[in-house]
Amino acid sequence: MIPGPIEFEPSVLRAMGETTTSHTAPNFIETFGHCMDLMKKIWKAPDGQPFIVAGSGTLAMDMAIANLIERGDNALVISTGYFGERFKEMLTCYGANVTIITAPLGKTVSLEDIESELKNKDYKLLTLTHVDTSTGILVNPEPIAALAKKYETLSILDGVCSVAGEKIEQENWGLDIVLTGSQKAIGVPPGLALLVASKKAIHTWRNRKTPVQSYYSDWKNWLPIMEAYQNRKPSYFGTPAVNLIRALEVSLQIINNEGIDHRINIHEKYANAFRKAIESLGLKTIPESNEIASNTLSAIYYPENIDGNEFRKKIEEYGVIIAGGLHADIKSNYFRVGHMGSVNASDLITTLSAIEYGLSKTGYHFRPGKSLATFQTLI
Ligand code: PMP
């Protein structure tokens, strides 16, 4: 129950074990092209350019930044935790002048603060983290993308912990890049960097004055490959992760058959019920209100006077694996539970039951069964 890698559907895992074909075999060309077609549907970006490259979510971030930033460009980072800081580091590495607006813990950055920064300077791009996995904070990308458009700034959404779990309408909202990794709500073992770029993003890259400062991430190498597979033609730059891409096809197909809107509604329902169940035990989550709490994970403070390590050990004894803290300022004060992808009500009931077990073994007082009853009334 950690926020990625998540549990994967058996059919996705079976696809991983199929015979590895050549990357130019007709069946694989079809699989690759089909994945890109499905990505455009799930991202809601019919005119977008998908990229599927072997690597983790960080590579997808790298691909966005390396291709769009030139030395000396101004970049604005809107940070709600650990992964906002990562964008800052990466942008600095590629020579951008970075301004970061960091939300107070448990909150988001206000639109007023973002707009006054955009008014202040000519920003080439801004980045936002849809769900920061270190805090469970959800940011609404729609009004931020609209502000970016107003000030002619590109918008890059880190959707590693949100794509296929939170509402996204890349094209309607005007987001220039929406990126993710395979191992979260997309539902495929770790190893694929996925992103969809807008026409404007590709245009900006084409009109660069200086070369891209990364060999592996350079769209010059990858765009022709993506275009070839899209047109069901063989091509080669770097050997694609054949088995992972076949597994991606299976998982995207499951999501698409279910319907992306339905899938997100289910995530929302489980997340709300889980959070209410946790709160019924008297525990507090990092996000200060329900509107900014994510569908994909919950970040929960340990109650005062209990030993967090001992609590997590008890939960593990019970057979459930949850994650510890990640945000540097409060690392040892909280734990995280992922609830995305093919998670179901019984997974969450078992997790709540394990949490109650852990709390009772570490001396916390509450009414046994309270969280289970709360969850069941809301589901
Ligand atoms: N952004 C967010 C919001 C994430 O949760 C993660 C991974 N936890 C990353 C970026 C980096 O992805 P990866 O670990 O796959 O490189």
Side-chain angles (χ1 to χ4, degrees), residues 48 99 124 146 371 377:
T99 304
K124 169 87 159 280
S371 71
T377 57

Side-chain angles (χ1 to χ4, degrees), residues 319-358:
V320 174
I321 298 168
I322 58 166
L326 180 61
H327 192 291
D329 297 349
I330 48 166
K331 207 170 163 39
S332 54
N333 300 349
Y334 75 109
F335 63 102
R336 296 172 301 147
V337 176
H339 30 75
M340 60 185 126
S342 56
V343 72
N344 61 29
S346 33
D347 297 328
L348 291 168
I349 289 275
T350 306
T351 306
L352 288 167
S353 159
I355 288 172
E356 288 202 5
Y357 174 80

